Amino acid sequence: MAETARGTESRYGNRPTMKDVAARAGVGLKTVSRVVNGESGVTPDTERRVQEAIEALGFRRNDSARVLRKGRTASIGLVLEDLADPFYGPLSRAVEEVARAHGALLINGSSAEDPDREQELALALCARRVDGLVVIPAGDDHRYLEPEIKAGVATVFVDRPAGRIDADTVLSDNYGGARDGVAHLIAHGHRRIGFIGDQPRIHTAAERLRGYRAAMEDAGLPVDEAWESLGTTDAQRVRAAAEAMLSGPAPVTAVFAGNNRVTVTVVRVLAGLSRPVALVGFDDFELADLLQPGVSVIAQDAAALGRTAAERLFRRLDGGQDAAPERIELATRLITRGSGELPPAE
Amino acid sequence: MAETARGTESRYGNRPTMKDVAARAGVGLKTVSRVVNGESGVTPDTERRVQEAIEALGFRRNDSARVLRKGRTASIGLVLEDLADPFYGPLSRAVEEVARAHGALLINGSSAEDPDREQELALALCARRVDGLVVIPAGDDHRYLEPEIKAGVATVFVDRPAGRIDADTVLSDNYGGARDGVAHLIAHGHRRIGFIGDQPRIHTAAERLRGYRAAMEDAGLPVDEAWESLGTTDAQRVRAAAEAMLSGPAPVTAVFAGNNRVTVTVVRVLAGLSRPVALVGFDDFELADLLQPGVSVIAQDAAALGRTAAERLFRRLDGGQDAAPERIELATRLITRGSGELPPAE
DNA sequence: TCCCGCGCTGACAACGTTGTCTAGGCTCTA
DNA sequence: TAGAGCCTAGACAACGTTGTCAGCGCGGGA
């Protein structure tokens, strides 16, 4: 009843299937399947009839059903922290390009730095039966992924290592990069250097702090507790942290910023100061060269991280399921633009 | 034969199914389904047995099969130009957030500004039977999506309108924004103003050019053909275009930049000049306030674009399939930071 | 002429899940 | 205590596709 006036061939959610195409073309179901998939063994005449029926009905193969039958989904999942973060854009794009080259689609989601949300997202992707997973961890316990990995979901962790499981990992040399950056400041005469970073539970933040301390220790410099500030990277906290270490009787003369969000806020704080303060930031960012002075940075290649991880993933999918987990570390590089070369202003 | 030494319960790609769980728990298939979906009508004792079997086997529901049976995939597709572009990051994230609020996942892909790739991507998403599609068009003919839309794929176009079909669209006021920006320059005394924009086949570029011309005409100013330059937004071309209009006997004294990529390159060119040249750019970008002078911009709210589009999409999915296509236009706003307020230097 | 083989085609089962329907055991009431 | 009704549970079909296999018609070799 309540038949609406819609055409009979295009009721919402009632798409034509191969069965419909077969009926219209007067052929068998399997023949349609063969035509759709470009398989051989179909007479040109039959093929033409099927093609016409496909056109006429607006048929499009249902890949959900195909996936169910074939077992592989030709899609991979990406769990990252925040798609809107300029660091993850290129990374995500690089993963997408590799996926595309392998004929796979990319499904992604943001964890918003929340371990529960990361887990929820990763497992939802597994339920969709993605062939593989690229994860930028928010949490530090990934045992929940063990059954999935065992079941064949190729999984690669990027930017931060997996927690409590052994898995493929692609990282930047956070420790070495930070050490180099701080050493650079020391080489320009600084003795009192501040470090402002992300929350210590985040691996990259911890590693960069370790690099900072190593550089200080290598130079035989003491580290005042007041010079180290780790926490969220929202502007308010970073601003307060910067202002604190830049005031008092023995303020820092240089700052090492733990990531691009921190750097940007620190630049703003320094812009309001009358005396010059040296700065090196972890992560490069657009326009860093146009600021005055240009901001010296430890650059990591986000696209390379993504590309390397995705390639590793597909290598595993293309027959290397049994390879031992690998840990790949990419080098960082110091880019000097002026801010890191300022001498200490006493 | 060739039985490998893997455990029997975890052969690759041989995940446990509800049938396995049912067998292990000694219950029927449907009972497992009920437990997994939290349906009522299962004794606590039975439920416990099923849960134990699920845990023991590491079972996870296969959403592919579920989708096939239920008809809805709880996922939407996003086709954009480039995930790595800082303008699309927040847009993408906003779409994701709305999708998440509706329990849907986001599948996305970049068209790289190639119409063929856009089509390929959009149709691949339709084959996956996404419930809806958010498209940032690269091409100007979207008739290929007509059968899909008719079949119930809720589709919303963002940032640029659909070509040759009638569909929901969410746009910024590109024409008005550009007109305001150029009028701002005129109000500060400029007479010779250059426009550098994206390729004219891209709707936003054409609209912004139209706004530029309107502002000039409103002020009774002539437009020299040499002041208008449209084309790709790679640094090389933009640099050449800027240098051309800034030289010669009657160089422009101000530039209106058609999007954020153009603006950045123009800023670099102007930084190498001795005389001040006024600049207003379309699109806000990070650190625009920290440059010297700060860059005045026409800001559009990328997140609002994405959010509005996604909300429109879900409203359509939640019962409004038959609503007439709507065109929503979001206002832009002028942010003055200095570069747009420079007087003409003759 | 007969038989074999090959090229094309379609019937059928299976992928893993959910909706429908029915069976069986229990409680409650008259 | 019998019958009605409810609650739990399972059998079965269906979603749309692909892999397997068997059948049919035709040509060529013995």
Side-chain angles (χ1 to χ4, degrees):
Chain A
M1 54 183 84
E3 242 300 73
T4 58
R6 288 175 204 137
T8 51
E9 281 188 2
S10 65
R11 275 187 306 253
Y12 286 108
N14 230 347
R15 307 196 57 140
T17 70
M18 285 192 178
K19 208 166 142 191
D20 300 327
V21 175
R24 171 148 188 153
V27 301
L29 185 56
K30 183 65 222 226
T31 300
V32 177
S33 172
R34 273 190 268 260
V35 171
V36 169
N37 293 296
E39 287 171 29
S40 62
V42 182
T43 319
D45 180 58
T46 310
E47 174 163 0
R48 191 186 45 71
R49 285 216 316 285
V50 172
Q51 284 292 7
E52 279 174 11
I54 288 177
E55 297 276 318
L57 296 173
F59 167 80
R60 184 167 315 286
R61 181 179 64 197
N62 184 332
D63 276 359
S64 285
R66 174 168 222 249
V67 154
L68 177 60
R69 188 62 234 256
K70 301 207 80 160
R72 275 219 180 170
T73 58
S75 57
I76 67 172
L78 172 63
V79 180
L80 40 67
E81 194 231 310
D82 182 0
L83 255 181
D85 186 318
F87 178 72
Y88 294 115
L91 193 156
S92 175
R93 177 68 195 275
V95 172
E96 186 202 334
E97 285 302 325
V98 176
R100 181 178 144 83
H102 285 80
L105 282 177
L106 181 64
I107 310 183
N108 53 15
S110 304
S111 67
E113 207 64 273
D114 173 352
D116 291 338
R117 193 161 154 182
E118 172 210 302
Q119 173 167 351
E120 179 197 334
L121 206 50
L123 291 181
L125 292 168
C126 290
R128 295 291 166 104
R129 293 293 186 271
V130 290
D131 297 334
L133 218 42
V134 176
V135 181
I136 296 167
D140 54 6
D141 185 351
H142 297 92
R143 281 174 299 178
Y144 71 90
L145 276 176
E146 244 171 0
E148 310 298 330
I149 295 174
K150 227 176 190 170
V153 181
T155 305
V156 181
F157 291 81
V158 192
D159 191 41
R160 309 168 188 173
R164 315 187 69 168
I165 63 171
D166 194 21
D168 285 318
T169 312
V170 180
L171 304 171
S172 276
D173 180 12
N174 294 290
Y175 166 77
R179 202 190 45 198
D180 292 351
V182 174
H184 182 70
L185 291 168
I186 294 173
H188 282 80
H190 294 273
R191 295 289 169 269
R192 298 195 306 276
I193 303 174
F195 177 93
I196 306 180
D198 210 331
Q199 304 166 74
R201 68 174 177 81
I202 298 176
H203 174 263
T204 50
E207 281 294 291
R208 293 170 195 175
L209 175 64
R210 205 162 66 79
Y212 160 80
R213 287 180 176 163
M216 295 296 272
E217 193 178 329
D218 286 351
L221 295 174
V223 173
D224 189 318
E225 201 177 277
W227 300 345
E228 294 180 354
S229 170
L230 280 77
T232 59
T233 57
D234 59 287
Q236 201 182 358
R237 190 204 66 92
V238 171
R239 176 172 286 275
E243 283 168 352
M245 61 181 68
L246 285 164
S247 62
V252 299
T253 64
V255 175
F256 186 84
N259 71 27
N260 54 357
R261 289 187 298 270
V262 172
T263 307
V264 169
T265 303
V266 171
V267 167
R268 284 182 211 284
V269 171
L270 298 188
L273 248 51
S274 51
R275 69 179 187 283
V277 172
L279 169 68
V280 171
F282 208 110
D283 293 337
D284 199 4
F285 56 96
E286 199 167 41
L287 300 183
D289 59 320
L290 281 181
L291 297 176
Q292 314 223 328
V295 178
S296 298
V297 298
I298 301 296
Q300 54 176 334
D301 189 340
L305 280 174
R307 195 179 332 112
T308 308
E311 279 166 357
R312 175 76 196 152
L313 190 155
F314 281 103
R315 207 168 331 123
R316 205 168 258 283
L317 282 179
D318 295 344
Q321 300 102 331
D322 302 318
E326 213 175 36
R327 183 191 179 104
I328 303 174
E329 200 158 273
L330 302 184
T332 58
R333 97 181 187 281
L334 170 69
I335 302 179
T336 57
R337 297 197 176 109
S339 74
E341 296 72 54
L342 295 171
E346 287 296 338
Chain B
M1 55 182 82
E3 243 297 67
T4 59
R6 290 174 201 137
T8 50
E9 282 186 1
S10 63
R11 275 186 307 253
Y12 286 107
N14 230 346
R15 308 195 56 140
T17 71
M18 285 192 179
K19 209 165 143 191
D20 300 328
V21 175
R24 171 147 185 153
V27 302
L29 185 56
K30 182 65 218 221
T31 300
V32 176
S33 173
R34 274 190 268 262
V35 171
V36 169
N37 293 296
E39 287 170 28
S40 61
V42 181
T43 321
D45 180 57
T46 310
E47 174 163 0
R48 190 185 44 72
R49 284 215 319 283
V50 172
Q51 284 293 8
E52 280 174 9
I54 289 177
E55 297 276 317
L57 296 173
F59 167 81
R60 184 165 316 284
R61 182 179 64 198
N62 184 332
D63 277 358
S64 285
R66 176 168 220 252
V67 154
L68 177 60
R69 187 60 233 255
K70 302 206 80 159
R72 277 220 179 169
T73 57
S75 57
I76 66 173
L78 172 62
V79 179
L80 40 67
E81 194 231 308
D82 182 359
L83 255 181
D85 185 319
F87 178 73
Y88 294 115
L91 193 157
S92 174
R93 177 68 195 275
V95 172
E96 187 203 334
E97 285 301 324
V98 176
R100 182 177 142 84
H102 285 81
L105 282 178
L106 181 64
I107 309 183
N108 52 16
S110 304
S111 67
E113 207 65 271
D114 173 351
D116 290 339
R117 191 159 155 184
E118 172 210 303
Q119 173 168 350
E120 179 197 334
L121 205 51
L123 290 181
L125 291 168
C126 289
R128 295 292 167 102
R129 294 292 188 271
V130 292
D131 297 335
L133 218 42
V134 175
V135 181
I136 296 167
D140 53 7
D141 185 352
H142 296 92
R143 282 174 299 178
Y144 71 88
L145 275 176
E146 245 170 358
E148 310 299 329
I149 295 174
K150 225 176 191 170
V153 180
T155 305
V156 181
F157 291 81
V158 191
D159 191 39
R160 309 169 186 172
R164 315 187 70 169
I165 64 170
D166 194 23
D168 285 317
T169 312
V170 180
L171 304 171
S172 276
D173 179 12
N174 293 289
Y175 167 77
R179 203 190 44 199
D180 292 351
V182 175
H184 182 69
L185 290 168
I186 294 173
H188 282 81
H190 294 273
R191 295 290 169 266
R192 299 196 305 278
I193 303 174
F195 177 93
I196 305 179
D198 211 330
Q199 304 166 74
R201 67 174 178 81
I202 297 176
H203 175 262
T204 50
E207 282 293 290
R208 293 171 195 175
L209 175 63
R210 207 163 64 78
Y212 160 80
R213 288 179 176 164
M216 295 297 272
E217 192 178 329
D218 286 351
L221 296 175
V223 172
D224 189 318
E225 200 176 277
W227 300 347
E228 294 180 353
S229 170
L230 279 77
T232 59
T233 57
D234 59 288
Q236 202 182 356
R237 190 205 64 92
V238 171
R239 174 172 287 275
E243 283 168 352
M245 60 181 69
L246 284 164
S247 61
V252 299
T253 63
V255 174
F256 186 84
N259 72 26
N260 55 356
R261 286 187 299 268
V262 173
T263 307
V264 168
T265 303
V266 172
V267 167
R268 283 183 212 282
V269 172
L270 298 188
L273 248 52
S274 52
R275 68 180 189 284
V277 171
L279 170 67
V280 173
F282 209 111
D283 293 338
D284 199 4
F285 56 95
E286 200 168 40
L287 301 182
D289 59 319
L290 281 181
L291 297 176
Q292 312 226 327
V295 178
S296 298
V297 298
I298 301 296
Q300 55 176 334
D301 189 341
L305 279 173
R307 197 180 328 113
T308 307
E311 279 166 357
R312 175 77 196 151
L313 191 155
F314 280 104
R315 208 168 329 123
R316 205 168 259 284
L317 282 179
D318 295 344
Q321 300 102 330
D322 301 319
E326 213 175 35
R327 182 189 177 105
I328 303 174
E329 200 157 273
L330 301 183
T332 58
R333 96 181 187 282
L334 172 69
I335 303 179
T336 57
R337 298 198 176 109
S339 75
E341 295 73 53
L342 295 172
E346 288 296 338

